[in-house]
Amino acid sequence: MARRYQCGLDAAMDVIGGKWKALILWALHTEDRRFGELRRAVPGISEKMLIQQLREMESRGIVHREVYREVPPKVVYSLTPLGESLNEALLPLGVWGRDHEEQIAATAPSTTATPDPARPAA
């Protein structure tokens, strides 16, 4: 049975949820890319995570994977028409983020862990 969504935003977040999918979409918005190019275009993503995210996006019809039978093997990723339309929908969100980047950064939780005084040091 197909999942029922509460609203359109719920459906969209099901497709792009997580840290990496929107960044992968953005990396593919201008050109098709090979795996290594994608990995360099999305700093911080591990090879394992990139493979996982690409597979999920491919299964959802967002990304197309083209395998060229040559030596060495060549695999190129591109956006499907559905992926292109999703990227277009994300553009206003990117503009909002850019316009408010300083405020967002100033109010973001710190990524540096604060030591717990009740916990003994290792």
Side-chain angles (χ1 to χ4, degrees):
M1 183 173 183
R3 178 175 171 195
R4 297 187 59 102
Y5 295 102
Q6 298 296 317
C7 63
L9 186 57
D10 185 23
M13 292 306 295
D14 187 38
V15 174
I16 62 161
K19 179 177 181 179
W20 302 110
K21 288 179 184 163
L23 298 175
I24 294 168
L25 279 168
W26 184 251
L28 288 170
H29 89 285
T30 56
E31 62 185 331
D32 301 350
R33 295 185 186 245
R34 295 180 71 172
F35 184 84
E37 294 171 325
L38 269 174
R39 185 143 184 236
R40 287 186 294 276
V42 183
I45 193 167
S46 69
E47 186 172 318
K48 179 182 175 184
M49 182 58 68
L50 181 56
I51 290 167
Q52 177 185 334
Q53 299 296 287
L54 285 168
R55 283 182 182 159
E56 287 179 21
M57 294 167 73
E58 185 180 7
S59 73
R60 301 303 288 266
I62 303 298
V63 169
H64 174 71
R65 180 178 184 261
E66 183 76 28
V67 179
Y68 294 88
R69 305 285 181 212
E70 55 187 55
V71 178
K74 178 180 174 183
V75 178
V76 176
Y77 294 91
S78 60
L79 294 177
T80 64
L82 184 62
E84 289 174 2
S85 69
L86 178 56
N87 230 359
E88 288 175 25
L90 291 173
L91 285 174
L93 187 59
V95 170
W96 180 88
R98 186 180 59 237
D99 289 349
H100 299 90
E101 192 172 349
E102 287 182 26
Q103 183 180 357
I104 295 166
T107 59
S110 173
T111 57
T112 306
T114 306
D116 182 354
R119 187 175 188 175

